[in-house]
């Protein structure tokens, strides 16, 4: 998946966004504020397991990804990273 993301990023040169819509993301995304690590809790029957987004999708970028907010002062609808390395 990372190769596809890097290819998209290189092709558009940062002029387009690649968005992953994550249903029920607010309940399943967890941000560790001390390390800026973002994890995704898997669905049943694997709900005890988590995926490390920072390692898998963002190339271990440690700065906090920016939040996607659909309305002023509304809840976060997702996350994006400006540049994956």
């Amino acid at each position: 998946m990372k190769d596809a993301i890097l290819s998209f990023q290189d092709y558009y040169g940062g002029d387009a966004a690649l968005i992953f819509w994550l249903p029920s993301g607010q309940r399943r995304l967890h941000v560790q504020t001390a390390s800026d690590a973002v994890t995704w809790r898997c669905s049943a029957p694997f709900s005890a397991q988590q995926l490390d987004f920072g390692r898998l999708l963002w190339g271990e970028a440690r700065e906090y990804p920016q939040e996607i907010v659909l309305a002023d002062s509304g809840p976060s609808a997702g996350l994006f990273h400006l540049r994956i390395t």
Side-chain angles (χ1 to χ4, degrees), residues 6-75:
L6 291 174
S7 174
F8 176 91
Q9 185 171 268
D10 289 341
Y11 182 81
Y12 288 100
D15 291 333
L18 180 62
I19 298 172
F20 291 90
W21 190 260
L22 303 171
S24 305
Q26 287 181 306
R27 294 182 303 226
R28 297 173 66 188
L29 275 176
H30 178 70
V31 178
Q32 305 235 352
T33 54
S35 64
D36 287 338
V38 179
T39 56
W40 174 262
R41 184 177 48 84
C42 298
S43 62
F46 305 102
S47 56
Q49 298 177 3
Q50 295 186 15
L51 298 176
D52 181 353
F53 269 20
R55 186 175 60 80
L56 297 172
L57 295 180
W58 295 321
E60 296 191 51
R62 288 297 175 208
E63 74 241 17
Y64 182 71
Q66 296 183 355
E67 293 184 70
I68 300 170
V69 179
L70 301 179
D72 289 337
S73 302

